[in-house]
Amino acid sequence: MTEFDLIVPSTPDEAVAVLHAHPPEEVAVLAGGTDLLFDLDGGRLRARHVVSLRRLPWRTLDWNGATLTIGSTLPLRAIENDPDVRARLPGLYTAVRAVGSVALRHRATLGGNLGRASPASDLVPMLLALDAEVELVGPSGERTVPVDRFVEASRKTALRPSELIRAVRIPEARPSAYLWQRVRPFHDISHMAVAVAFSPAGARWRVAVAGFPPRPILVPAAEAALGPAHPSDPDLERAAESIVREAPIVADRRASEEYRRRLVRPLLTRAVRACGEELR
Amino acid sequence: MTAPAPPRCRVNGRSVDLGDVPPGERLLDTLRWRLALKGTKEGCRTGSCGACTVLVDGKSALSCLTLTREIEGSAVTTIEGAPDDPEGARVRAAFEAVGALQCGYCTPGFVMALAGLLKERGRGGSFDELLEDLGGNLCRCTGYAAIVRAAASLRTEEAEP
């Protein structure tokens, strides 16, 4: 591991100023550290300065009507332990519990998961299906970016130099589900995953697939095929076919392309049916 | 301006000065090599096996993925401190009662992970959730049957008035 110094700013302004004061390639931002420390250990990241966000007031979870705003440094475990998340955003509850183990989720954060942009993220697909937005703060003020535009590619985000993720905003409570296929049920990486959510306001489905590089993606053709609220079996079949046909599913060392495409139909069908029970 | 107080944390009730700890040092190494608390085990060092699990402020944490300097001001409980911790003591007794270990290497991690779950949930949660929540701890001897029996006994004791 390369040597670094640990900087612990007390306010968001101070944190942004610290980032601004150093060349971007010399600085790493530390939230929970459960992913970052691998890259520091492996030498893939040669940060001379590590900026810890632990003193910032971003360990928050706020419901405002049907809108949920989650602070970027809140441990994931606090999200799954919120009874309203479990009841009103069941897909998010399941996706959070799909990340690592309890002990890992006591430190890992939503901001870290987004900022690190792992192609294997279990949270990004669910956030896509929930139309979540990322609130950013930086030297030139604040801005909000949809998750779909924030996560650009494997390990690549729309974060500008000296910008930080302050929070993630989920616009409405949605019947939702997250299903995955892996070797071990818990504390493993998904080979293939499907996130679905039904927007009551928009009367439409959102469908994201994940588990393969370079990043989780929404599949509009599948959303259109599912139609309004209660899809029929042929609707489901057409939605699955559109994913198999159109999604840029590829092979990597974890699974073949064919295996992943075969998993689409059962995962999608079960996920949509799980939401259907809630819609009733 | 007065000089800032040196960073400290508590380990099993004892105050520890973190002033000399390098920024990159892991809690696992601080415990084992700086404080000679060898009960906490190093398994994979990548957060995959749970052998290094300790409690930080009562919550389970992977000490191999925790920078010691990041837990400044916190209270750490390791397997050595389990007898003095109410939940730690209960888990230990449950493991002893059913002989829930083979080689013992994963045991400190399992005990601390379960102590953390008991603190957080008490009697709550289903049996399936208990299994899910123990999914981060691996036993290389595959001695899971007795470990699950011990864990389930804690749950039942609490659930029955």
Side-chain angles (χ1 to χ4, degrees):
Chain A
M1 183 166 69
T2 52
E3 292 290 310
F4 58 80
D5 64 326
L6 192 62
I7 306 169
V8 192
S10 303
T11 66
D13 284 348
E14 196 188 328
V16 169
V18 165
L19 291 178
H20 203 58
H22 296 98
E25 66 277 9
E26 290 184 8
V27 188
V29 175
L30 172 71
T34 53
D35 187 47
L36 180 76
L37 295 186
F38 289 115
D39 279 1
L40 289 174
D41 273 351
R44 287 179 295 280
L45 221 137
R46 296 180 185 279
R48 293 174 56 190
H49 316 281
V50 172
V51 180
S52 164
L53 306 185
R54 75 178 141 99
R55 288 200 184 123
L56 304 191
W58 293 345
R59 293 188 192 197
T60 54
L61 188 150
D62 297 301
W63 283 95
N64 182 3
T67 302
L68 173 63
T69 305
I70 301 171
S72 64
T73 57
L74 184 74
L76 295 179
R77 184 69 170 164
I79 302 174
E80 74 189 85
N81 280 347
D82 182 76
D84 286 326
V85 168
R86 193 171 182 174
R88 304 174 76 185
L89 290 166
L92 181 65
Y93 170 81
T94 311
V96 166
R97 283 181 65 82
V99 178
S101 63
V102 172
L104 186 131
R105 296 197 297 275
H106 277 143
R107 293 205 79 77
T109 67
L110 197 51
N113 196 280
L114 276 165
R116 299 285 296 156
S118 162
S121 170
D122 286 296
L123 299 177
V124 169
M126 199 64 243
L127 294 174
L128 286 173
L130 293 172
D131 289 304
E133 296 180 315
V134 192
E135 296 179 4
L136 307 172
V137 290
S140 49
E142 307 178 2
R143 62 187 183 119
T144 300
V145 180
V147 170
D148 199 20
R149 285 217 304 276
F150 181 79
V151 178
E152 294 181 338
S154 175
R155 302 294 187 187
K156 193 170 181 316
T157 71
L159 263 184
R160 294 171 186 155
S162 315
E163 259 187 338
L164 287 167
I165 303 171
R166 179 180 62 195
V168 176
R169 193 166 63 225
I170 296 168
E172 60 175 351
R174 291 181 178 176
S176 48
Y178 182 68
L179 269 99
W180 34 254
Q181 177 68 27
R182 340 165 135 175
V183 174
R184 299 198 304 132
F186 305 108
H187 202 30
D188 202 354
I189 291 171
S190 303
H191 290 165
M192 185 71 195
V194 172
V196 301
F198 181 76
S199 164
R204 58 176 297 199
W205 287 91
R206 296 294 257 163
V207 177
V209 290
F212 48 87
R215 53 157 285 196
I217 48 153
L218 287 163
V219 188
E223 296 167 2
L226 288 175
H230 297 284
S232 63
D233 286 349
D235 291 341
L236 262 170
E237 189 60 28
R238 281 190 297 117
E241 269 169 30
S242 71
I243 296 172
V244 172
R245 198 173 54 239
E246 291 183 25
I249 297 168
V250 295
D252 67 2
R253 65 194 168 88
R254 291 203 179 85
S256 71
E257 183 188 332
E258 190 198 355
Y259 178 57
R260 286 190 162 120
R261 289 191 190 277
R262 276 171 186 253
L263 286 168
V264 166
R265 183 170 286 102
L267 291 176
L268 179 77
T269 306
R270 287 174 209 168
V272 168
R273 289 204 175 123
C275 295
E277 279 158 28
E278 282 178 65
L279 290 171
R280 248 162 238 140
Chain B
M1 235 176 101
T2 52
R8 307 191 79 83
C9 72
R10 296 187 77 78
V11 177
N12 298 334
R14 169 181 151 202
S15 181
V16 175
D17 185 342
L18 303 179
D20 295 334
V21 174
E25 184 168 305
R26 306 306 157 92
L27 180 57
L28 172 66
D29 297 321
T30 305
L31 294 172
R32 286 182 58 84
W33 305 112
R34 210 171 275 274
L35 303 176
L37 294 168
K38 300 285 181 72
T40 302
K41 299 297 187 244
E42 176 177 333
C44 64
R45 216 180 169 81
T46 60
S48 305
C49 77
C52 70
T53 304
V54 297
L55 298 183
V56 175
D57 295 329
K59 294 177 168 148
S60 59
L62 297 163
S63 62
C64 76
L65 288 187
T66 303
L67 294 180
T68 305
R69 297 289 292 269
E70 280 289 280
I71 59 150
E72 182 189 334
S74 292
V76 178
T77 309
T78 69
I79 190 69
E80 289 89 346
D84 302 320
D85 176 88
E87 288 76 19
R90 284 178 53 207
V91 177
R92 235 175 69 128
F95 269 57
E96 283 170 10
V98 300
L101 63 108
Q102 288 188 29
C103 84
Y105 200 81
C106 69
T107 311
F110 265 107
V111 170
M112 299 322 287
L114 263 167
L117 285 175
L118 280 184
K119 283 181 195 294
E120 187 181 49
R121 292 214 168 146
R123 71 185 72 183
S126 66
F127 182 69
D128 285 349
E129 268 174 346
L130 177 68
L131 290 186
E132 283 181 29
D133 286 346
L134 283 179
N137 291 79
L138 301 184
C139 167
R140 211 176 64 170
C141 309
T142 70
Y144 292 107
I147 293 169
V148 169
R149 205 176 307 135
S153 77
L154 287 160
R155 203 183 134 262
T156 322
E157 266 170 39
E158 273 289 299
E160 288 168 1

